[in-house]
Amino acid sequence: MRRRIELAGVAKSFGRTVALDGIDLTVEPGEHFALLGPSGSGKSTLLRVVAGLEAPDDGDVRFDGESQAGVEVHRRDVSLVFQQYALYPHLTALRNITLGLRHGLGLPAAEADRRAREVAGTLGVADLLDRRPRAMSGGQRQRIALARALARRAGIVLLDEPLSGLDAQLRLVLRVEIARHLRGSGATTVHVTHDQSDALTSADRIGVMQSGRIAQLGTPDELYDRPANLFVARFVGTPPMNTFPVTPAGSVFGVHPDLAPDTVLGVRPEHLRLDAHGAWRAAARVEAVEHAGPERIVHLWVDGTPARSRTDRSGVAVGDVLTVSADPGQVHVFAGPDGLRQGSALGAGAPVEPVGAH
């Protein structure tokens, strides 16, 4: 059964450290939701509160409108998948999957076995059921851990950094595989990760965590195209958004937006052009070039500020001095002590006439 998760004013502290600062959040039934943020931002604590592993200091967690206050972990309709697999080393894969079904849910042995084999077949690990964890690779262990979670048929599946211990190639395969199987299960999923690729690949919506709060909530496209503040702009995107501070002398582009003195201009790497065709132009020096198949990630030094350009242009070499440019409609303006996005430069008071390289 698909479940709705609601958090109302959830707060949690550990001593003087505020881990969660009044979180309000609703995850819709069947939604694949990701909590994205750096270490210490509060995302894993939030997941543990939903699971019942931590009790909130304030606020409430509700499943389909029913408060979970005082409800023990094993009585909540949740399954968990952890970074470290949490498999019993002395049990076979089959026994690891069926243990919770038999002793937690009270299923007959035959039914537990049938569910385990069915889920293992869909995840491509049916041939591993007689093996113990030490005889499996990291990816195989993670599939068994996922099979254990899916076999419970819980309405909510919670994933706590399930891919962070795997190599890059295996992460790429499993992040797509896990998303496919979870969508097929119909469960409501909350996926905690510090890796934006995990979140951007599979989530319907993402909550970006910053210092115990949700800095922005939206679809992957919304986070990338309209970051709410400088933190989100710098955290979401590979490479991250280029940011250029505006000083009394102007910015690297020579413009003076009519905004607060702490204004910062942001340009995504694909919008920082290696030519003079944009309305705003600046001189730059090439510091390094990453070859990424048909693309190049060009590392630049732009008037004392490091920056990157994503381009399909070849023939760029370290040491080249060239002109970079951007169009005001593709330049984000951030201002204020929290670095809130004010809009694009076209609508935020910045001049749009061409500015020569300097």
Side-chain angles (χ1 to χ4, degrees):
M1 179 176 67
R2 298 183 176 190
R3 308 296 298 270
R4 173 180 283 105
I5 305 170
E6 298 169 278
L7 284 76
V10 170
K12 181 69 179 179
S13 296
F14 298 97
R16 296 183 177 180
T17 301
V18 177
L20 300 175
D21 189 8
I23 300 292
D24 294 308
L25 174 67
T26 298
V27 182
E28 297 297 338
E31 183 176 20
H32 194 120
F33 183 84
L35 282 169
L36 176 65
S39 298
S41 60
K43 58 189 187 299
S44 289
T45 300
L46 184 55
L47 192 80
R48 291 174 64 84
V49 168
V50 173
L53 297 171
E54 298 280 358
D57 298 332
D58 197 8
D60 194 23
V61 177
R62 298 188 288 267
F63 296 167
D64 294 336
E66 295 184 7
S67 174
Q68 299 300 296
V71 179
E72 297 176 326
V73 178
H74 67 280
R75 297 190 181 280
R76 299 192 182 196
D77 187 22
V78 300
S79 291
L80 295 98
V81 181
F82 300 98
Q83 175 184 346
Q84 298 300 330
Y85 322 129
L87 300 176
Y88 291 101
H90 63 290
L91 298 180
T92 64
L94 180 62
R95 290 290 305 280
N96 266 286
I97 297 171
T98 60
L99 189 65
L101 302 179
R102 295 179 61 186
H103 299 285
L105 299 183
L107 294 182
E111 173 62 15
D113 188 81
R114 187 192 67 78
R115 281 198 195 182
R117 293 185 184 279
E118 178 182 306
V119 174
T122 65
L123 290 171
V125 290
D127 59 336
L128 303 178
L129 293 178
D130 293 331
R131 296 188 194 179
R132 288 179 170 78
R134 66 175 177 270
M136 304 177 201
S137 68
Q140 290 170 336
R141 293 175 194 173
Q142 196 57 279
R143 285 186 176 93
I144 296 299
L146 180 61
R148 178 180 56 192
L150 294 182
R152 286 180 57 86
R153 297 181 182 173
I156 297 170
V157 176
L158 306 177
L159 309 174
D160 190 6
E161 303 272 11
L163 305 178
S164 60
L166 306 177
D167 64 71
Q169 191 64 32
L170 187 55
R171 288 173 69 99
L172 182 62
V173 172
L174 278 189
R175 71 166 57 110
V176 175
E177 208 172 272
I178 287 175
R180 177 165 58 88
H181 289 295
L182 287 171
R183 291 186 189 283
S185 76
T188 303
T189 304
V190 179
H191 182 177
V192 160
T193 180
H194 68 275
D195 188 318
Q196 60 178 295
S197 296
D198 293 345
L200 296 172
T201 298
S202 59
D204 300 312
R205 286 189 305 150
I206 300 170
V208 180
M209 296 287 294
Q210 178 187 10
S211 302
R213 298 183 178 184
I214 296 180
Q216 186 171 359
L217 185 66
T219 66
D221 285 345
E222 287 169 345
L223 298 182
Y224 190 83
D225 294 337
R226 295 180 297 281
N229 60 20
L230 273 172
F231 175 83
V232 177
R234 289 166 172 162
F235 194 77
V236 176
T238 306
M241 181 179 288
N242 300 304
T243 52
F244 304 107
V246 177
T247 69
S251 75
V252 298
F253 296 110
V255 297
H256 302 259
D258 185 19
L259 293 169
D262 52 5
T263 297
V264 175
L265 304 180
V267 186
R268 288 289 182 196
E270 61 271 24
H271 296 147
L272 186 63
R273 303 169 56 168
L274 301 183
D275 58 44
H277 296 157
W280 289 359
R281 299 187 288 274
R285 176 184 173 86
V286 177
E287 298 293 315
V289 179
E290 292 182 42
H291 294 260
E295 291 186 327
R296 305 286 187 272
I297 306 298
V298 182
H299 296 250
L300 303 159
W301 195 251
V302 185
D303 195 22
T305 302
R308 298 179 184 92
S309 173
R310 185 196 303 273
T311 179
D312 58 4
R313 174 177 162 182
S314 60
V316 180
V318 173
D320 286 353
V321 175
L322 43 75
T323 297
V324 297
S325 66
D327 290 317
Q330 295 173 330
V331 175
H332 304 258
V333 177
F334 302 92
D338 295 323
L340 298 181
R341 183 176 182 272
Q342 309 299 308
S344 76
L346 274 178
V352 299
E353 69 272 9
V355 178
H358 63 289

